[in-house]
Amino acid sequence: WSTVFTDCAKYINGRGNGARYDGTLPGSTYIGSCAQWTGSGANFSADYKAFLRRFWEAQVTAFERGQGWMYWTWKAEVADEWSYSAGLKYGWIPQDPNQRIYPNVCG
């Protein structure tokens, strides 16, 4: 799993194939622009980083109720939203994975 809710990262659907989210993948329907959802974490808005943190906590909480969890990738070249190391750097993943700021995120 990852903290990503789109397929906007470059090459995530294969080289030159586009994304479902922005309708550039053949056969897909436009949902929205990818501009604010991918790239460098330094450019992500505070609201987006807060969303990534809540989404991270929700998934960790849910998976820890079952078999546990393993994050998809340590580092992505141009898509920090996929990157555990970037999440640590920019704060949407806590240094201590047991730390929760949204303790009731799953209800």
Side-chain angles (χ1 to χ4, degrees):
W1 65 275
S2 72
T3 50
V4 178
F5 74 98
T6 74
D7 64 338
C8 290
K10 187 175 184 178
Y11 304 136
I12 197 69
N13 294 313
R15 187 169 183 257
N17 288 336
R20 289 172 191 85
Y21 193 81
D22 67 3
T24 58
L25 183 72
S28 64
T29 302
Y30 180 86
I31 296 169
S33 170
C34 285
Q36 64 188 7
W37 309 125
T38 192
S40 171
N43 298 323
F44 294 167
S45 71
D47 285 344
Y48 185 40
K49 289 178 184 176
F51 164 79
L52 292 171
R53 175 62 182 254
R54 284 190 308 274
F55 198 36
W56 184 88
E57 287 192 24
Q59 292 182 91
V60 167
T61 299
F63 291 136
E64 286 180 349
R65 291 178 182 167
Q67 298 293 321
W69 58 273
M70 183 184 78
Y71 199 82
W72 180 254
T73 187
W74 174 249
K75 186 174 182 178
E77 294 88 358
V78 292
D80 282 350
E81 70 278 15
W82 284 91
S83 173
Y84 195 94
S85 61
L88 292 171
K89 178 179 179 179
Y90 294 110
W92 63 82
I93 296 176
Q95 296 293 320
D96 175 354
N98 293 309
Q99 179 197 34
R100 302 291 193 277
I101 57 176
Y102 303 103
N104 298 314
V105 71
C106 288

